[in-house]
């Protein structure tokens, strides 16, 4: 299954595509960050980002979209633009019949690092490990988009099992790291 | 000029179209409220509302869109959905080459009633007066959408002149009420 992860934003919108084959095998297909100039008006910025997202959808034809869930209590100065772009991503998905799944930042961090409060650097490190990359994708929005896609690839399996809420995620972490080592 | 006013919302999205001819002459073309069930997931709700908005655009071919500006400090439980729909409206406008202008609720109230802190009832009353309607359009989202369209029709002229910030708006109020009386 091919998954597009989207880290929505009006200034930079992270786009990361992975192919997921079987349990732990995920590989990089595409990573980029669509941008729009803060000097343009909001409708023009939204149109520009939508065009960039559609080009990626056209080129790589993902089967599903995983999108970061936006919260109103986040940074007020950027949250409205983020929500607007997330609405646009949902519409583009809907128009193409693609399922959209929303993940909170904590869910994504927990899935890829085993820790819901992991920092950006840790998430980037694990994204590179899991995908067998020698460097962390830049900018951070692009790495985050890949993390969201990986979280979706691992969904279900990441649900809490056993006694601790992060047990499954921690097990996935170890498995993913093993898989990454084997790949090199 | 034909103007579509949009009061964005995920549960109810007010849509009001007016034709503006010359200085104070505005007339009703269309008013409705697109709805989506809160039981559906957000992408499905957004797709449904976008379809309804596109049907109105196809049928009435407005020349411009006036959209309520959403603030993060508004009601947190609804503001994210409102921002998502506003992003979708901007995209639909952009794809059709229609200019979008954003108005704050205070700007709309000031334009149609002369008072930026006017209540819903006062806005509805003035919308009915200005358009020569015998009743206030319902639901409130629909009346608000018409108020936004009227505010756009009157833009520029509503800028403060003379000594008081609301002097111009108050003058428009009187002129609009006169025009409404003449029409009946």
């Amino acid at each position: 299954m091919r998954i597009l992860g989207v880290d929505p934003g009006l200034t930079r919108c992270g786009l990361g595509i992975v192919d997921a084959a079987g349990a732990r095998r995920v590989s990089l297909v595409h990573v980029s960050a669509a941008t729009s100039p803060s000097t343009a008006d909001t409708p023009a910025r939204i149109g520009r980002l939508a065009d960039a997202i559609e080009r990626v959808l056209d080129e790589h034809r993902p089967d599903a979209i995983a999108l970061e869930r936006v919260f109103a209590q986040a940074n007020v100065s950027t949250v409205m633009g983020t929500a607007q772009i997330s609405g646009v991503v949902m519409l583009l998905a809907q128009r193409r019949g693609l399922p959209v799944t929303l993940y909170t930042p904590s869910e994504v961090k927990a899935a890829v690092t085993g820790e819901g409060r992991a920092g950006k650097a840790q998430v980037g490190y694990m994204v590179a490990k899991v995908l067998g990359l020698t460097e962390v994708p830049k900018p951070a929005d692009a790495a985050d988009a890949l993390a969201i896609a990986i979280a979706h690839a691992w969904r279900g399996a990441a649900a809490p099992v056993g006694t601790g809420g992060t047990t499954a995620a921690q097990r996935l972490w170890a498995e993913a790291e093993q898989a990454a080592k084997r790949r090199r």
Side-chain angles (χ1 to χ4, degrees), chain A residues 4-5 25 32 34 36 39 41 49 55 62 67 69 80 85 87 92 101 104 106-107 125-126 164 167 171 174:
Chain A
L4 167 62
R25 296 193 359 248
S32 64
S36 81
T39 48
D41 65 12
L49 293 172
R55 278 195 298 273
L67 176 63
R69 189 186 292 276
M80 302 313 294
I85 291 299
L92 297 180
T101 311
T104 66
S106 299
E107 286 171 336
Y125 170 84
M126 280 308 301
T167 307
R171 180 167 46 75

Side-chain angles (χ1 to χ4, degrees), chain A residues 10-170:
Chain A
L10 198 51
T11 299
R12 264 193 315 277
C13 184
L15 303 169
I17 299 183
V18 301
D19 274 345
R24 294 282 73 74
R25 296 193 359 248
V26 289
S27 56
L28 177 67
V29 174
H30 168 89
V31 62
S32 64
T35 60
S36 81
S38 60
T39 48
D41 65 12
T42 307
R45 300 180 74 179
I46 284 175
R48 181 166 166 156
L49 293 172
D51 289 346
I53 296 165
E54 295 226 87
R55 278 195 298 273
V56 168
L57 289 170
D58 287 342
E59 187 178 354
H60 298 290
R61 305 265 164 202
D63 305 301
I65 295 181
L67 176 63
E68 186 170 301
R69 189 186 292 276
V70 188
F71 288 103
Q73 54 268 47
N75 184 346
V76 168
S77 69
T78 60
V79 74
M80 302 313 294
T82 303
Q84 287 165 343
I85 291 299
S86 80
V88 162
V89 170
M90 289 184 208
L91 178 64
L92 297 180
Q94 195 73 12
R95 290 282 161 89
R96 288 165 186 252
L98 298 176
V100 181
T101 311
L102 302 177
Y103 294 93
T104 66
S106 299
E107 286 171 336
V108 172
K109 290 172 184 173
V112 301
T113 74
E115 166 55 57
R117 289 164 300 177
K120 288 256 175 220
Q122 196 183 345
V123 170
Y125 170 84
M126 280 308 301
V127 165
K129 278 284 180 210
V130 166
L131 296 175
L133 310 175
T134 53
E135 287 189 7
V136 177
K138 289 200 171 56
D141 313 74
D144 284 347
L146 288 171
I148 295 161
I150 293 167
H152 186 66
W154 289 355
R155 77 194 184 287
V161 296
T163 51
T166 57
T167 307
Q170 283 163 347

